[in-house]
Amino acid sequence: MDMKIVLQEAIREAVHQAVSEGLLTLAMEDLPAVVLEVPPQKEFGDYATNFAMQAARVAKANPRKIAEAIVAHLRGTWLERAEIAGPGFINFYLKADWLYEMLQGILRQGSAYGNTTAGQGQKVQVEFVSANPTGPLHVGHGRGAAVGSTLVNLLRAAGYEVQSEFYINDAGNQIDNLAASVNARYLELLGQTAAFPEDGYHGHDIIDTAQRIINREGDRYLNMTEAERLTVFKELALSEKLAALKEDLAAFNVTFDVWFSERTLHEARSIAEVCRIFKEKGHMYEQDGALWLRSTASGDDKDRVVIRDNGVPTYLAADIAYHRNKLERGFDKLINIWGADHHGYIPRVRAAIAALGYDPDCLEVLILQMVSLYQNGELVKMSKRTGQGVTLTELMEEVGRDAARFFFIMRSIDSQLDFDLDLAKSRSNENPVYYIQYAHARICSIFRQVQEAGISVGDVAACRLERLEEAAEIDLIKKLGDYPEEISNAAKERAVHRVARYVHELAGLFHTFYNQCRIIGVDQELQRSRIALVTAVQHTLRHGLAILGVDAPEKM
């Protein structure tokens, strides 16, 4: 039983009754949303609402009068009393029975507890990471990977139909530069004179790629023309870098339903088709030999070049064709997760979507702020191994996958993330991921003791849960009851950090309960009830950690 939903319905029904009796004058369709909060202090009840103040404008009545009418018409066997406070707040005090009914429902749902229907099957595509396949993933990519994969898990738990996608930038200058960089290193390693490309890639991984080609094939490619060699090296390097990307992401607990190749857009003449549509609709014009999208008509600050004067498509051209391809696949919502440097790119893509005849609001872009690594209180800019930026693999080697994922997720994407490497490695309560995983390991230890003691638990949902009367137990049950709404709201807000915060708070309440309430060795009924409560906590922690892509260890 979700008490918030029950209480919201009861408030709406009370308003309806008051209107029917002429005590209030307002149309039910004009009612504001009923927002319930948990008061910061227990003496103010289990829930509180400012609904009466929100409804005052449409009802043209004093908020306290509205609150009095609601309280007078509230019905529910779960309600102990309701009190009006201040200018029109209503505080609700519920009978203890509702907590036990709620806990019983949680236990009945088992491992499925937390799954909701908030998304109502809306078809959503989430595209994230989409790093150029020209080198290893770095820390910034890691935040996008952690947030994106967690968002996919979260949306699925909240009842959305979700597809995850990686857009492979395997066409254009960056891939040509990759081939030229490998070619230069290949020639150097074979003692040849080679000019390194001006926009080439200087990472040691390029040298490694060239050396692997030599190890496999020797100097056979020296006999080719440079154009032929570049064609071969482009495919060899792209294949190797893409395989490495997939391997790094899999190690980070990130997989994709679809890997979409940019090349396929060019091969299918999708860009030419987009230009044809724009011309037909009057959204494209020619100027100085180039083709321009009239994007200012849809809110962009200036028109954008789609095809350059030399006939070569811009990056935007492929991106427009790609988003048209996404929309043709029937998604209701497109969610892109981009870095902070892409913020200015959003209006032009939305303008292009509008010019194609789609609702630009179907595109939702989440912008990730930067990540800074700190160790011993000092900023870490370079890898100790290569002297370049720290890679995602190096970060995982330093702090572990679970800590890396959790630290990337635990702050809102709107804020810059200061990643404390020392804290992430520490085995202490100050490290949030350790604190949460230790709570789960403690629960597993309790169940091992139960088994070793030969204690028969039976159907935990059938226990006398009303024996759970201690403040630590009540607080824990209430927190458990908040979980489905937390999942639904986090999904609607695309706020994955809310799940991280919730499991951390739940772990804290469990540790308090564990330290204050003996579980094994008390009287049999109380023992069974406390084991039931621990079972519900385990299900919820596991569900939350699974969304975060973090392990729930049985021992630590």
Side-chain angles (χ1 to χ4, degrees):
M1 178 172 64
D2 189 327
M3 183 47 65
K4 276 193 175 181
I5 293 175
V6 172
L7 192 48
Q8 285 166 341
E9 287 299 321
I11 291 169
R12 281 189 282 266
E13 180 58 29
V15 172
H16 178 72
Q17 289 296 323
V19 170
S20 302
E21 296 174 17
L23 298 174
L24 295 176
T25 306
L26 76 164
M28 293 301 291
E29 59 268 20
D30 293 334
L31 283 183
V34 180
V35 178
L36 294 164
E37 301 288 347
V38 176
Q41 294 170 286
K42 292 180 182 179
E43 57 264 34
F44 297 133
D46 296 291
Y47 293 104
T49 185
N50 66 348
F51 173 80
M53 290 179 284
Q54 296 298 315
R57 183 180 60 82
V58 292
K60 295 181 174 58
N62 182 283
R64 280 193 70 93
K65 178 185 175 184
I66 297 171
E68 288 166 2
I70 290 171
V71 169
H73 290 82
L74 271 177
R75 299 291 181 269
T77 56
W78 35 265
L79 183 65
E80 184 175 291
R81 71 184 191 279
E83 294 180 355
I84 302 167
F89 288 101
I90 308 175
N91 297 328
F92 302 95
Y93 299 79
L94 307 180
K95 294 178 181 176
D97 292 355
W98 76 271
L99 276 176
Y100 307 126
E101 289 177 24
M102 181 177 69
L103 179 56
Q104 188 178 59
I106 294 170
L107 291 163
R108 293 279 186 231
Q109 291 179 64
S111 60
Y113 181 62
N115 293 338
T116 77
T117 59
Q120 298 181 325
Q122 185 182 38
K123 291 185 69 176
V124 178
Q125 190 225 43
V126 183
E127 182 217 328
F128 58 104
V129 183
S130 295
N132 291 337
T134 54
L137 296 171
H138 288 268
V139 168
H141 299 130
R143 190 179 194 188
V147 169
S149 57
T150 300
L151 180 60
V152 169
N153 296 338
L154 172 61
L155 292 172
R156 285 174 176 157
Y160 296 79
E161 185 182 332
V162 189
Q163 183 185 85
S164 60
E165 185 154 311
F166 187 112
Y167 180 54
I168 309 167
N169 298 118
D170 53 4
N173 289 336
Q174 74 273 11
I175 301 300
D176 292 336
N177 288 332
L178 172 65
S181 303
V182 172
N183 178 60
R185 296 306 189 200
Y186 175 82
L187 293 173
E188 286 174 0
L189 289 169
L190 290 173
Q192 305 290 311
T193 302
F196 200 80
E198 185 178 344
D199 296 323
Y201 297 99
H202 293 269
H204 198 278
D205 62 293
I206 300 296
I207 300 173
D208 293 340
T209 297
Q211 186 62 60
R212 279 189 284 270
I213 292 172
I214 293 170
N215 293 344
R216 288 194 308 267
E217 306 289 346
D219 63 357
R220 64 179 289 234
Y221 296 117
L222 288 179
N223 298 323
M224 291 182 171
T225 66
E226 182 160 294
E228 290 172 330
R229 197 163 53 244
L230 286 171
T231 299
V232 172
F233 286 177
K234 181 186 290 189
E235 298 310 312
L236 289 175
L238 179 60
S239 176
E240 180 183 287
K241 298 304 177 193
L242 192 55
L245 268 180
K246 292 181 178 180
E247 187 177 329
D248 287 351
L249 288 166
F252 199 48
N253 210 5
V254 179
T255 57
F256 289 89
D257 299 317
V258 175
W259 292 78
F260 189 98
S261 166
E262 181 187 347
R263 285 185 181 182
T264 61
L265 297 171
H266 296 270
E267 292 163 358
R269 295 187 56 77
S270 299
I271 294 172
E273 177 63 14
V274 161
C275 291
R276 184 192 65 77
I277 293 170
F278 285 157
K279 288 175 182 176
E280 277 186 4
K281 292 177 177 287
H283 296 307
M284 179 167 273
Y285 62 92
E286 186 175 341
Q287 182 177 304
D288 300 327
L291 291 177
W292 294 69
L293 172 64
R294 207 184 304 275
S295 53
T296 50
S298 299
D300 198 3
D301 61 341
K302 63 181 180 179
D303 292 344
R304 304 290 174 175
V305 175
V306 177
I307 306 295
R308 300 181 181 93
D309 56 7
N310 61 1
V312 176
T314 61
Y315 183 82
L316 176 62
D319 232 11
I320 294 169
Y322 177 44
H323 282 80
R324 176 173 176 260
N325 178 285
K326 292 183 181 188
L327 292 164
E328 286 182 328
R329 284 184 261 161
F331 296 109
D332 301 311
K333 178 72 73 174
L334 307 178
I335 300 177
N336 293 349
I337 300 178
W338 291 347
D341 54 339
H342 283 71
H343 194 280
Y345 199 69
I346 300 171
R348 67 194 75 170
V349 177
R350 289 171 63 88
I353 288 173
L356 287 167
Y358 293 97
D359 180 359
D361 289 338
C362 70
L363 175 64
E364 185 178 333
V365 180
L366 307 181
I367 293 294
L368 284 169
Q369 295 303 318
M370 304 294 287
V371 178
S372 298
L373 298 179
Y374 285 86
Q375 192 161 44
N376 300 321
E378 295 183 0
L379 182 64
V380 178
K381 289 186 177 180
M382 298 298 177
S383 162
K384 295 175 185 175
R385 187 181 306 166
T386 66
Q388 296 176 314
V390 179
T391 67
L392 178 58
T393 297
E394 288 173 319
L395 180 65
M396 284 192 283
E397 289 172 355
E398 182 77 10
V399 304
R401 182 188 72 188
D402 289 342
R405 283 190 65 95
F406 193 91
F407 274 58
F408 280 138
I409 295 163
M410 70 180 183
R411 298 279 181 264
S412 167
I413 63 170
D414 297 331
S415 59
Q416 180 165 322
L417 176 63
D418 292 338
F419 193 119
D420 187 333
L421 294 168
D422 299 311
L423 179 61
K425 288 190 293 184
S426 72
R427 294 174 64 83
S428 70
N429 290 344
E430 284 69 42
N431 179 351
V433 70
Y434 176 84
Y435 189 65
I436 297 162
Q437 289 182 318
Y438 185 48
H440 186 269
R442 260 186 166 172
I443 290 170
C444 293
S445 174
I446 292 167
F447 289 142
R448 285 193 296 271
Q449 293 174 53
V450 167
Q451 189 173 18
E452 289 165 6
I455 297 170
S456 176
V457 178
D459 181 3
V460 288
C463 295
R464 288 190 59 195
L465 299 175
E466 64 273 15
R467 292 294 307 275
L468 302 172
E469 299 175 314
E470 298 292 334
E473 295 168 327
I474 299 299
D475 289 345
L476 195 49
I477 298 170
K478 286 181 177 179
K479 190 66 178 179
L480 288 168
D482 292 341
Y483 186 55
E485 185 184 34
E486 192 68 44
I487 292 298
S488 295
N489 289 338
K492 288 174 185 175
E493 296 171 17
R494 322 301 193 216
V496 295
H497 67 281
R498 289 185 57 159
V499 182
R501 182 179 63 200
Y502 174 88
V503 292
H504 186 244
E505 291 172 354
L506 179 64
L509 290 172
F510 170 76
H511 287 306
T512 299
F513 158 77
Y514 180 87
N515 292 326
Q516 294 182 4
C517 301
R518 188 175 178 183
I519 299 166
I520 299 173
V522 293
D523 79 72
Q524 194 170 20
E525 283 185 349
L526 181 58
Q527 179 176 265
R528 287 186 68 208
S529 296
R530 286 180 173 168
I531 291 171
L533 178 56
V534 170
T535 302
V537 175
Q538 183 185 49
H539 287 319
T540 310
L541 280 178
R542 280 182 175 173
H543 192 278
L545 288 172
I547 287 174
L548 300 175
V550 173
D551 285 342
E554 296 188 3
K555 292 182 179 180
M556 290 180 71

